[in-house]
Amino acid sequence: MPERLITLPGPGHTDALGALVARLLRPGDALLLSGPMGAGKSAFARALLRALSGDPALEVPSPTFTLVQTYDTALGPVAHFDLWRLGDAYELEELGWDDARQGIVLVEWAERLDELTPSPALELDLSLDAHGGRTARLVWDDRALALPSLPDVATP
Amino acid sequence: MTQGGPQISSALETRRSGAIGAPVLAIESSCDDTACAILDADGRVLAERVHTQREHDAFGGVVPEIAARAHLAALPGLVEATLRDAGLSAPDLGAIAASTGPGLIGGLIVGSGVGKGMALALGLPFIAVNHIEAHALSPRLPGVVQGGAPFPYLLLLVSGGHCQCIAVEGVGRYRKLGGTIDDAAGEAFDKVAKMLGLGWPGGPAIEALAREGRDDVHPLPRPLLGRPGCDFSFSGLKTAVAQRLAPYGAGALPRRDAADLAASFQTCVADVMVDRAAHALDLLPEATTLVVAGGVAANGAIRARLMALASERGLPFAAPPLRLCTDNAVMVGWAAIETMRAAAGLGRWPFDDTAVRPRPRWPLAEMAERFDVVR
């Protein structure tokens, strides 16, 4: 699977990446986000959902406590999962994982999916350095190559 | 058979209209815990039970009991036990209430399904309660706030799952003045605690460690501080803590450094909270009380700062006890009682919410529709 390494100097770049990936999505896609706390998984998810819904002010609360939030978008339903609190992957089935897979799933802490890990999928691993910079390692089908480079974004 | 029909239906009519003075049974199942409570018509708690799995997750912050199946397994026995505790049997009840949103859909379906089934079988009205509305009205439970929190008041709801400023102007009349645009405050505590290698829940762990540290060693951002309105953001603060921790790598974090970071983080959250609450009070100048509900209100440092703010503004400060701030059925029962009273006052009682479907999202602003309140 093609792989891209993308440098994200500031939070605006994480948002821009979310919006760019949103343009390439198709119904049934699975997006698996990993990386430590504070690396920008939720920020990426928020930007992507806002782009998909066409609403730049769309409320995208952290799904940590509700475990999953569902959004209606032009590409059908998108289920935004956060597996941080999850004990076992089997609990996902109780959260409607199978139904959610009919649409797009966007999963934070995807490393906890274990044997439920969908394939093929977009895998995005975010890392954070001590100076606030981030790196995104993106593995996807041919769309990884179709992803344009990030537009210039003002860094605060 | 033909004689029985009309008699039964007229008995149901009597029950449905005469229910307002009788006890209310309430069910809460919108997240991890399954809870049931019975309140008399004045809001006194006759019995209360919570089924929780929290004892299993002292480590890791994992909540295994998320399954609708678990609510379903617990609820019938819980309802029976609560009735027994209250010394009542089902026919003594006057109404059944359940939280029908917002929350995890599986639990909501189970809780409201059981509630509706009971209501139908007993010929009682069913009251659909908005879980956030129940939090918002909880300070009005008899005995919680001296003077009873008259409308309008400002509610700062700050817990693991919620973080918002709500103008509570009457039953069914709520205005969300602001809320978090990313993480909830309690969530930030839990996650920062995890990063510092502390246990769960993170709030008490950070508060304890912060006492050993200095809050001026690590400059951390105060997200949205001084900005207009009263929205919150904690994601950037969490990231800033992560950046501070990055140089330590995977090695053990010296306790002194962890304590300084915990203290800095806590002061940051307190600063933001006070700033946002002050803005919210500016937006609701007629507020009678500053009410802070939710697990984060149990943090002594934050609580003291918010009390100081209330006193600066000449307002009483109220924080309902923690057992009323976590998910519980008492507040659901109380919200149902307030709703029934308000409906009766408007000549709209009895009504029945059997047709209301569970909703994962249910904005508070829509509660006014129930009474067609003209704003």
Side-chain angles (χ1 to χ4, degrees), chain A residues 128-143:
Chain A
L128 180 72
D129 66 38
H131 310 289
R134 295 176 172 82
T135 308
R137 183 174 156 272
L138 186 145
V139 182
W140 207 6
D141 51 29
D142 289 345
R143 284 175 285 179

Side-chain angles (χ1 to χ4, degrees), chain B residues 220-232:
Chain B
L220 293 173
R222 267 100 174 128
L224 300 182
L225 193 85
R227 298 266 190 93
C230 52
D231 282 339
F232 298 85

Side-chain angles (χ1 to χ4, degrees), chain B residues 174-188:
Chain B
Y174 317 101
R175 267 191 305 138
K176 184 176 167 185
L177 301 175
T180 183
I181 56 177
D182 40 57
D183 298 357
E187 179 182 348

Side-chain angles (χ1 to χ4, degrees), chain A residues 73-110:
Chain A
T73 73
L75 294 179
V78 180
H80 180 198
F81 285 88
D82 183 328
L83 309 188
W84 190 57
R85 297 201 309 142
L86 211 63
D88 253 299
Y90 82 88
E91 291 173 345
L92 261 184
E93 294 170 14
E94 305 284 345
L95 291 173
W97 175 254
D98 290 339
D99 286 344
R101 286 284 287 127
Q102 308 299 310
I104 294 173
V105 291
L106 177 58
V107 188
E108 299 189 38
W109 299 96

Side-chain angles (χ1 to χ4, degrees), chain A residues 37-40 42 46 50 58-72 82 84-88 90-92 94-95 109 112 128-134, chain B residues 31-32 54 60-69 103-104 106 160-161 176 180-184 186-187 190-192 194-195 200 235 238-239 242-244 246-247 360-361:
Chain A
M37 231 168 253
S42 295
R46 184 172 299 113
R50 284 179 172 169
L58 180 74
E59 277 193 38
V60 183
S62 160
T64 296
F65 271 75
T66 53
L67 301 160
V68 58
Q69 302 266 3
T70 310
Y71 299 84
D72 288 316
D82 183 328
W84 190 57
R85 297 201 309 142
L86 211 63
D88 253 299
Y90 82 88
E91 291 173 345
L92 261 184
E94 305 284 345
L95 291 173
W109 299 96
R112 303 197 178 172
L128 180 72
D129 66 38
H131 310 289
R134 295 176 172 82
Chain B
C31 198
D32 304 327
R54 290 269 157 85
V62 170
V63 178
E65 203 59 290
I66 52 170
R69 204 169 48 190
L104 278 173
K176 184 176 167 185
T180 183
I181 56 177
D182 40 57
D183 298 357
E187 179 182 348
D190 281 338
K191 289 184 170 173
V192 167
K194 180 94 175 177
M195 289 193 266
W200 188 89
S235 178
K238 176 185 70 188
T239 300
Q243 278 164 13
R244 289 267 155 191
R361 281 196 261 176

Side-chain angles (χ1 to χ4, degrees), chain B residues 122-349:
Chain B
L122 295 165
L124 296 176
F126 173 78
I127 318 290
V129 172
N130 179 309
H131 177 87
I132 304 292
E133 172 182 41
H135 276 297
L137 293 174
S138 66
R140 289 169 52 83
L141 256 163
V144 167
V145 175
Q146 214 177 4
F151 299 124
Y153 54 87
L154 177 69
L155 175 77
L156 191 56
L157 178 59
V158 279
S159 65
H162 306 293
C163 187
Q164 40 188 296
C165 295
I166 302 166
V168 185
E169 298 176 314
V171 177
R173 295 172 57 207
Y174 317 101
R175 267 191 305 138
K176 184 176 167 185
L177 301 175
T180 183
I181 56 177
D182 40 57
D183 298 357
E187 179 182 348
F189 267 96
D190 281 338
K191 289 184 170 173
V192 167
K194 180 94 175 177
M195 289 193 266
L196 294 175
L198 304 174
W200 188 89
I206 286 190
E207 187 175 7
L209 186 60
R211 285 195 205 103
E212 300 172 22
R214 286 176 49 182
D215 66 1
D216 56 354
V217 179
H218 295 284
L220 293 173
R222 267 100 174 128
L224 300 182
L225 193 85
R227 298 266 190 93
C230 52
D231 282 339
F232 298 85
S233 166
F234 292 106
S235 178
L237 178 56
K238 176 185 70 188
T239 300
V241 173
Q243 278 164 13
R244 289 267 155 191
L245 288 171
Y248 295 96
L253 179 66
R255 189 169 176 93
R256 163 65 64 84
D257 294 358
D260 289 343
L261 258 173
S264 303
F265 168 77
Q266 182 173 276
T267 299
C268 252
V269 175
D271 286 350
V272 169
M273 212 73 96
V274 168
D275 178 77
R276 307 285 80 195
H279 278 244
L281 285 172
D282 292 342
L283 293 171
L284 189 68
E286 61 278 31
T288 64
T289 316
L290 171 60
V291 181
V292 184
V296 179
N299 180 291
I302 291 175
R303 196 184 176 105
R305 297 280 304 279
L306 288 167
M307 285 175 86
L309 171 71
S311 124
E312 246 171 60
R313 300 290 181 108
L315 289 176
F317 173 90
L322 200 55
R323 58 172 186 82
L324 272 181
C325 291
T326 51
D327 293 346
N328 67 89
V330 170
M331 67 176 190
V332 174
W334 175 249
I337 290 168
E338 291 248 47
T339 302
M340 288 157 69
R341 285 181 185 168
L346 292 167
R348 308 260 176 98
W349 181 260

